[in-house]
């Protein structure tokens, strides 16, 4: 899942780069996109080491990840950045939770790969600056963020429903009788998301409080 | 011009990657795209060293390069590869000719950057394979190559007309009384192009000789 997500991240960041307001920002984004491919390579190399065919291993996760991106195509530079900041951060948090249940080699690889992406952090700085320039943008972007989270949850449920093994690993790992563990996980993800929204001046209700 | 061309090359290869028939080829292209950004960085660093603002220096070349790519948007994987093989190779040959008139540091940088792109070579192998599978494709791709060359010449003339200094450096460097030198340059570019077409099984008349 993470491997295919990296390939899509490259693709999306390359597309986002086209929305950049100037050449400097466009180059920054294009450059960050390149890092995702390095991550993709590390993951496929590990899959091959384990005797797994990468395209085959990625196939089951493609419909949900493709659908998420197709449903949340950003219309401009700020929507692209918000998508990176909100969506990538939630995805990273989720993957980090799953990584706890992997063996040490895979866990280290997954955490390394997550650490290598600076897009969310870069996006946060840009969003903060854009809202300082024009606070009236906060409402539109907060609504957009809400839509992103909704779509992400929908696709995550789809993966869980279709990939029983994946869901089981997660449920077993989380402990607390399965559902209790999932509830706690969702709470952790939600809290982190809410904190990130406030950190850049967006609100989690989709209304403009300014 | 080369700097902006590298940024566009990244962008176009990322778009071409989406046309790839499988994940393996998609990753290969995405990875090669990443290298273009490294080249872009090297060129902008050199511009900055020379006290030149990169976006400002690139601005005059953007309309022609953007127009070339907008007019030659590939419709499928083989058109994308043919564009890379035909178009990039002519562009590389041209840049290599211009590099002869630069100082040693800039010349070395330009030649290094050209050497770093493997796309045209990769594309040649893929085209050869595709034509071996189905020789009837040669006609369509030969016509497409013809269109690419026509568009490239049109945009090159546009640059020459609008950028008098650029044209003068080239004319002075080529010697032989200006036009004689340009004629010889065009002959070198054309011969190399024709050889490349035959090398992969395409023909330069836009007709299928098979």
């Amino acid at each position: 899942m993470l491997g295919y997500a990296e390939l899509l991240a490259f693709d999306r960041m390359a597309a986002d780069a086209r929305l950049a307001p100037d050449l400097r920002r466009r180059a920054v984004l294009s450059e960050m996109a390149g890092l995702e491919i390095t991550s993709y390579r590390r993951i496929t190399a590990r899959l091959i080491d384990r005797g797994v065919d990468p395209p085959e291993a990625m196939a089951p996760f493609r419909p949900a990840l493709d659908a998420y991106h197709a449903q949340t195509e950003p219309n401009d530079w700020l929507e692209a950045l918000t998508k990176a900041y909100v969506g990538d951060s939630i995805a990273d948090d989720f993957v980090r939770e799953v990584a706890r249940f992997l063996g040490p080699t895979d866990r280290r690889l997954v955490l390394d790969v997550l650490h290598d992406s600076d897009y969310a952090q870069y996006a946060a700085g840009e969003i903060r600056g854009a809202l300082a320039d024009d606070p009236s943008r906060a409402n539109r972007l907060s609504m957009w963020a809400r839509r992103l989270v909704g779509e992400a949850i929908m696709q995550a449920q789809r993966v869980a429903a279709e990939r029983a093994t994946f869901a089981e690993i997660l449920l077993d790992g989380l402990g607390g009788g399965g559902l209790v563990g999932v509830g706690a996980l969702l709470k952790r993800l939600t809290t982190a998301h809410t904190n990130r929204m406030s950190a850049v001046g967006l609100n989690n209700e989709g209304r403009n409080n300014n």
Side-chain angles (χ1 to χ4, degrees), chain A residues 118-129:
Chain A
D118 294 330
Y119 192 17
Q121 208 177 338
Y122 173 77
E126 290 277 316
I127 296 167
R128 225 178 272 121

Side-chain angles (χ1 to χ4, degrees), chain A residues 159-174 182:
Chain A
V159 170
E162 287 169 13
R163 301 291 293 167
T165 333
F166 188 78
E168 271 167 33
I169 290 174
L170 193 60
L171 285 174
D172 283 357
L174 287 166
V182 170

Side-chain angles (χ1 to χ4, degrees), chain A residues 36-177:
Chain A
E36 307 287 346
I37 289 299
T38 311
S39 298
Y40 171 81
R41 282 290 172 199
R42 294 182 63 185
I43 293 169
T44 50
R46 174 65 181 158
L47 288 171
I48 291 166
D49 274 357
R50 294 186 62 162
V52 177
D53 177 58
E56 205 174 298
M58 291 176 195
F61 302 103
R62 291 180 64 174
L65 290 169
D66 284 340
Y68 170 72
H69 286 295
Q71 293 298 323
T72 58
E73 194 87 48
N75 290 308
D76 59 33
W77 176 239
L78 276 178
E79 285 191 6
L81 293 173
T82 305
K83 181 174 167 181
Y85 178 61
V86 168
D88 291 13
S89 302
I90 293 183
D92 282 6
D93 281 353
F94 176 69
V95 171
R96 225 173 263 120
E97 293 271 356
V98 177
R100 290 162 49 206
F101 317 129
L102 300 174
T105 309
D106 289 325
R107 185 166 60 235
R108 196 169 317 114
L109 172 62
V110 167
L111 296 178
D112 268 12
V113 163
L114 291 180
H115 183 74
D116 259 357
S117 174
D118 294 330
Y119 192 17
Q121 208 177 338
Y122 173 77
E126 290 277 316
I127 296 167
R128 225 178 272 121
L131 293 183
D133 287 350
D134 179 1
S136 76
R137 287 161 165 163
N139 189 39
R140 179 171 68 92
L141 291 182
S142 299
M143 291 295 289
W144 170 243
R146 205 177 163 76
R147 202 178 121 201
L148 294 169
V149 174
E151 194 63 39
I153 291 172
M154 215 150 81
Q155 298 304 335
Q157 282 171 337
R158 185 173 163 182
V159 170
E162 287 169 13
R163 301 291 293 167
T165 333
F166 188 78
E168 271 167 33
I169 290 174
L170 193 60
L171 285 174
D172 283 357
L174 287 166

